[in-house]
Amino acid sequence: MVVMHRWGEVASRSVMMAALVAFGMLALGGCASTTSPTSGDLVTSSDEPEARKRARIRLQLAVGYFEQGQTTVALDETKQAINIDPSFVDAYNLRGLIYMKLNDQRLAEESFRRALSLNGNDSNVLHNYAWLQCLQGRTAEAIQTFTRALDNPTYTDRAKTWLTKGLCQVRARQFTEAEQSLNKSYEYDAANPVTGYNLAQLIFQRGDLARAQFYIQRINGGEYANAETLWLGAKIEHRLGNRLERDRLGIQLRNRFPRSRELNSFDRGAFNE
């Protein structure tokens, strides 16, 4: 029973990390992801019709507003981009992300489906739609959609999609499969702290302390260390019997995150919770 509670903790924290992936790292395509329906060549700026150019300017504004948290303004700009060019896949993709942030899953799904009806092989759209399916509890469909995104040989954001697939699997308590996906993400981008944290957490819960220590030390030794990563590092060192290193991490927690719940857990000695 205790083990299941710990896995639940992993799942909830991983889902918070996944929000970072879904909204902090926008999966939006650009000119290079668009192909000419007749020749198959990549569409460059000289090929784009005037309507698409005007729509793209609107979309760039929308992305800026979205990143600044001005969601309603971003949605309005996205709608204008779609009105200018109803075949603009990237605009429907962003509209889906905006509706996800607004917790309107019905309209988010409608947006992603519309984008895929225009280009069923757009890996950026497939990535975002898969995460929506995951949030809806449609795990089997989500895994298939992630796989479709990864099957595209021209897709360049594989690390991000393997990571998000792994987080979806953690959310569904598919821990063995999640570790495989996170390992793939780590192979593509070993510097991503979200991947490293979730991989360390999974491996720690499985009891492979030396490997968990390796992944978390890479994060805690760099600029992306935070209260969660320091606390995980302290728990790992405690289990390994490295009290000096455990206490050193505790000092960092106290100095850098004095009001964190992780420091409170450290002070209570809750290393086995």
Side-chain angles (χ1 to χ4, degrees):
M1 219 45 170
V2 176
V3 173
M4 291 303 292
H5 172 73
R6 287 175 182 168
W7 279 119
E9 179 183 340
V10 176
S12 65
R13 292 192 177 193
S14 296
V15 170
M16 291 193 327
M17 288 288 193
L20 249 153
V21 178
F23 299 125
M25 300 163 55
L26 288 182
L28 288 171
C31 293
S33 67
T34 309
T35 58
S36 166
T38 54
S39 67
D41 289 339
L42 294 179
V43 174
T44 61
S45 59
S46 63
D47 298 313
E48 281 195 325
E50 188 60 34
R52 174 60 55 88
K53 291 178 181 177
R54 289 190 290 116
R56 191 174 297 284
I57 292 171
R58 286 291 184 183
L59 190 66
Q60 289 169 346
L61 288 171
V63 170
Y65 285 123
F66 186 54
E67 291 176 341
Q68 294 168 17
Q70 300 183 51
T71 313
T72 303
V73 182
L75 181 58
D76 185 65
E77 291 291 346
T78 304
K79 288 179 179 179
Q80 293 190 55
I82 291 171
N83 286 335
I84 294 168
D85 184 353
S87 65
F88 196 7
V89 172
D90 289 353
Y92 291 104
N93 189 25
L94 179 58
R95 189 176 74 173
L97 285 171
I98 292 171
Y99 280 127
M100 283 181 71
K101 193 167 185 179
L102 292 171
N103 295 315
D104 192 328
Q105 295 188 352
R106 182 185 64 83
L107 289 177
E109 176 153 2
E110 180 184 295
S111 299
F112 293 137
R113 283 183 172 274
R114 175 58 177 155
L116 291 172
S117 73
L118 294 167
N119 183 358
N121 296 318
D122 191 307
S123 292
N124 294 297
V125 179
L126 289 166
H127 170 98
N128 292 326
Y129 185 35
W131 179 239
L132 174 64
Q133 291 172 321
C134 184
L135 292 178
Q136 294 172 329
R138 297 155 58 190
T139 306
E141 293 176 69
I143 299 307
Q144 289 180 353
T145 308
F146 280 126
T147 301
R148 283 177 60 193
L150 292 163
D151 282 344
N152 183 348
T154 65
Y155 186 43
T156 57
D157 283 335
R158 296 180 181 280
K160 175 188 64 186
T161 297
W162 278 114
L163 167 59
T164 315
K165 181 180 180 181
L167 295 173
C168 181
Q169 289 164 325
V170 169
R171 197 171 189 271
R173 299 180 179 273
Q174 298 176 2
F175 303 118
T176 300
E177 295 85 350
E179 185 177 338
Q180 293 170 353
S181 295
L182 291 173
N183 271 321
K184 288 291 292 184
S185 179
Y186 200 84
E187 289 174 14
Y188 282 105
D189 184 8
N192 188 324
V194 180
T195 305
Y197 171 82
N198 284 281
L199 197 48
Q201 182 79 286
L202 279 171
I203 294 169
F204 169 65
Q205 294 295 341
R206 201 186 67 190
D208 192 343
L209 299 178
R211 282 185 66 215
Q213 181 191 49
F214 166 79
Y215 289 115
I216 205 64
Q217 280 184 342
R218 291 197 64 179
I219 301 172
N220 285 335
E223 61 181 308
Y224 296 110
N226 62 21
E228 284 188 76
T229 65
L230 292 169
W231 172 231
L232 177 57
K235 289 194 290 184
I236 292 169
E237 298 300 339
H238 178 82
R239 293 275 189 92
L240 286 168
N242 300 332
R243 294 188 177 183
L244 286 176
E245 181 61 18
R246 177 200 69 188
D247 292 344
R248 188 186 70 81
L249 291 167
I251 291 171
Q252 287 193 56
L253 267 175
R254 192 173 311 283
N255 291 339
R256 299 175 59 186
F257 308 101
R259 297 180 180 178
S260 66
R261 64 177 184 177
E262 288 79 11
L263 177 60
N264 180 264
S265 296
F266 185 93
D267 287 341
R268 289 190 295 107
F271 298 103
N272 296 314
E273 290 184 2

